[in-house]
Amino acid sequence: MSIIKVEIRSSAYYDSVILMHLQRALATLPDIIDAGAIMGTEANKHLLVQSGLSAPDVDQASPDDLVIVVKAASEKVAADALKQVDELIEKRRQTTDTEYRPKSLETAVKMLPGAHWVLISVPGRYAADVTREALGYGRNVFLYSDNVSLEDEIDIKRKACELGLMVMGPDCGTAIINHVGLGFANAIRPGPIGLVAASGTGLQQVSSRIHQLGSGITHALGTGGRDLSKDVSGLSTLQGFDLLDRDDATGVIVLISKPPSTEVAERLLRRARRSGKPVVVDFIGHSPVSPQLENLFFSTSFDSAAKKAVELAGALPMTFARQDLDIQGFAPGQRYLRGLFSGGTLAYEALLILQDYLPAVYANIPIHKELRLPDSLISQEHTILDLGEDEFTVGRLHPMMDHDLRIRRLEAEAEDPEVAVILMDVVLGFGAHIDPAGELSPAIRTALQKARSHKRRLDVIVVLVGTDEDPQDMNAQAESLRAAGAYVETSNELAVRRAGEIAARLSTGAEEPCGEPVKLEYIQAPFSAINIGLESFSESLSNQGAAAIQVDWRPPASGNEALMSILERMKAK
Amino acid sequence: MSIIKVEIRSSAYYDSVILMHLQRALATLPDIIDAGAIMGTEANKHLLVQSGLSAPDVDQASPDDLVIVVKAASEKVAADALKQVDELIEKRRQTTDTEYRPKSLETAVKMLPGAHWVLISVPGRYAADVTREALGYGRNVFLYSDNVSLEDEIDIKRKACELGLMVMGPDCGTAIINHVGLGFANAIRPGPIGLVAASGTGLQQVSSRIHQLGSGITHALGTGGRDLSKDVSGLSTLQGFDLLDRDDATGVIVLISKPPSTEVAERLLRRARRSGKPVVVDFIGHSPVSPQLENLFFSTSFDSAAKKAVELAGALPMTFARQDLDIQGFAPGQRYLRGLFSGGTLAYEALLILQDYLPAVYANIPIHKELRLPDSLISQEHTILDLGEDEFTVGRLHPMMDHDLRIRRLEAEAEDPEVAVILMDVVLGFGAHIDPAGELSPAIRTALQKARSHKRRLDVIVVLVGTDEDPQDMNAQAESLRAAGAYVETSNELAVRRAGEIAARLSTGAEEPCGEPVKLEYIQAPFSAINIGLESFSESLSNQGAAAIQVDWRPPASGNEALMSILERMKAK
């Protein structure tokens, strides 16, 4: 036989460390079978049920309420335990409260004026306001708190950007700045590798592996898992990358994230390619089409990212000469790429590769269905067409045999004043047309002449698939296409990359949306910080020899929602 | 001034080669500006409009109707041109009809009894029936036709499987069997590489690159682009792989496809790993987590797949010893994997890696939303949990600091008689719990004891993230976990692969759904075939020295739908 007793404290705020210790202290009292001390959210209440700690009263608790549950052999034991709650909380407080703690961020900033950083780990719904306050004092923020809304994240990151400050997070679990670990961080020896990560444990695994492999790091900057979403648009990651790019001690940069939105990935990779440093990219789950692209080295697991970074660090200094593609001569407004493929999988590989270059490419065989071309007969913006798709081949020969459709489409695309590059495949071999160049070359020549007559430059890039033993005479085919003015490659990848590079250079998207760059001093100065929230983070900083001040923070109106809204209304007046 | 005249022939069937030649012949008549000869589908009618060849009558044409349009300087020229249509068609027929052609497959089979293959390129709606007929004569089918329904594809492939025959396609553009190219195919020198591809131009690009790099191939088998979809379930690809695996001349196998359904990928990779041969896998757009897994070598572009295959071919003979993981001692019914992660990105990487092993893994942070766990508090089948997600951390410390939730969940999972493997991360470092093993090891020990008492084997696999300089003493942590009975790795990838391997071995999914294996003779005998449809394919076979017979095929009832349905009803009686 056992009995369960519950106590609910309305609108009571306790630090989650306190709650954990309270639960453990209760559970280890004599004759107590189990105990729980939780905030009354639905998830937490379900967990109580699962742990056999449910009682009818618990259902009434709201997310603001503290719920204390004890399971004991008898009514009396349970009641006695609940009576000790305040005492247990006070005891815990006394063991940790050893020095003076300011009650406000304002005071803390005066006490430690050299602290460029504020660590914030208060409950999510207060976190954005505390962050805004810290930004107001000109401080960068490491925002550990989760349960922060997307709107708040965008707002505080934009504000920070305007001020030349950085917000790592929300939900940023880890960072290492100037060899001091923030939040959760491993002890990594100094070395030439800098990391930016929208992933806490990803960053911990990679930095740990770098250490295990004998190398080390300059800084490891977290950004929060949502930073590379379309809505947040990589604001913090771009700032972090830019810091490491300007930091002379950083020789190799590692970028880690779950797959970013295509648009953000493209912007970030474009920024990374402007760097002279080698950059290891692990967008886990993102499929790089080739392992290297100039100074970018793509990895697909934490392990291989760490290994590649260490290997590159061993080969420093390295320089990467950007292959300088000439983009002179295009008219204003020319910027789009159009792909006219006869081969379905060549078209599909093109779409994959173009993800490294262009934010959105429409297609009749799209990778993501939101990029399906509404009408396959009309291209829009960047477009890749598979003209061998069923829709085009009813009662009609495949485009490898009959070029009529492709030639008509080529004419139409070439007349579009926004088109800069046309990409085509020419597939030789048995079964295919016996002289594709004989039909396509005149059409290409005419298209180029027409563009020139309108004072436009037009690039036609052809991937030629075949062998020297094919019936068509591959070399003669290539010569004919070149003579017509086309650029010819035998690898689809190289042809697509060239087309993508040109289109990307002609696009006008900005890489860095922020006005002010973040000062290097913020990461290069000896690290000191103000901590608001989980006090174990302060202790951890002190243990690492960093100056830290803990703010004795309480939620406004002690977390009482009704009172808070009254205060809000008073402030507004 | 120009005039457009239209002629519509109801329910008329013409081979698409004929139509192309008719269109060209009309367009090159004196004073004709442009011409079109199409079947009256919506897409084709739109194309006429785009080409400036529209006329009011065209709208009334149905997909069964042949539409002939001429644009000329005068009414008379146009009318004269239309009068020549039959003559032009007849002229084309005469230039190609040089030998006797059987009217039926039945006759053709008698004429060329050694032909193991039938090439079919008739219009899509007739293609499945013609295929069924060929299978009935015990012939394998290369099915070039597109616009074949998914239901028909499944039906004919299942039938073929039962008969130990192979259907390549529908929409199979290319294959090379015993050095004879079918459909579209390049001239590739003989060599030790065999290919199976659900992609026509992918296969052409890879085989061409193999030739360009100096190596060569045994066979290149196409399967049709939908073969690796969940519905078709890879029937032809598995047959093709199995053929190449049994073919002694093939030393290296290359598998090419757009990303398969997870379930099919898993089945196919499981089959590939049973092979003693090196296998290059290019599921384009599929992100391999590591470039090699025993005998499997993952590539991410056609170029790199070709290079890897040639490199492996140069290193033959190779043997791959399967690391033999002991899976003795699990009770019947034990088969599921449960991952209890504190690190979100470690959990995510685990999900990615497990795609190589298990068809479906549920998660509270799923890669595909259809695999979202309905209730994060209850695992189902294979499950990976990120216990650091917002839903678990309201008013509660992160699981790196507070192990209570993970320990309770560990107990629950260990009690589930269907669970075989539990995967956990233990993250050390600043900020984390000062002695995770001190809390987790006893729980692991208890869980293992409980499983043993129920005569179950339970594997607990731990990935330990940290360094020797971390405050927790990494070696002591590892020792404690091992002493409790856990298997400890420091790389997430290796830990997850081990767990995935065990769970995959305990799962019961069959690799080969077909009864009868396809006979090697079908690809090893000198190639000869019967061709039904595009006559250029017959010519191409003859040009390559292969025996071929062209069937003078006509659609039932000359393509007249009404008459066809009467014939169908008569057959049914």
Side-chain angles (χ1 to χ4, degrees), chain B residues 331 415 449-456:
Chain B
E415 271 170 24
Q449 276 165 354
K450 211 175 246 176
R452 265 194 302 276
S453 74
H454 289 93
K455 307 257 185 274
R456 294 200 297 264

Side-chain angles (χ1 to χ4, degrees), chain B residues 48 112 255 283 294-295 343 349 351 360 409 529:
Chain B
L48 281 185
L112 199 59
L255 265 176
F283 289 159
E294 294 168 23
N295 65 324
E349 190 183 69
L351 286 170
R409 188 73 177 233

Side-chain angles (χ1 to χ4, degrees), chain B residues 226-284:
Chain B
R226 278 191 310 220
D227 191 66
L228 296 182
S229 66
K230 195 174 167 188
D231 295 316
V232 185
S233 73
L235 289 175
S236 302
T237 307
L238 281 164
Q239 288 180 310
F241 185 91
D242 188 58
L243 272 171
L244 296 177
D245 197 19
R246 286 183 284 129
D247 175 42
D248 288 336
T250 301
V252 177
I253 302 173
V254 182
L255 265 176
I256 304 163
S257 148
K258 286 187 201 177
S261 92
T262 318
E263 204 168 300
V264 177
E266 183 271 332
R267 184 155 63 163
L268 193 52
L269 294 178
R270 191 137 45 96
R271 173 64 186 85
R273 291 171 70 199
R274 277 210 293 113
S275 166
K277 301 180 181 182
V279 180
V280 177
V281 180
D282 182 8
F283 289 159
I284 61 165

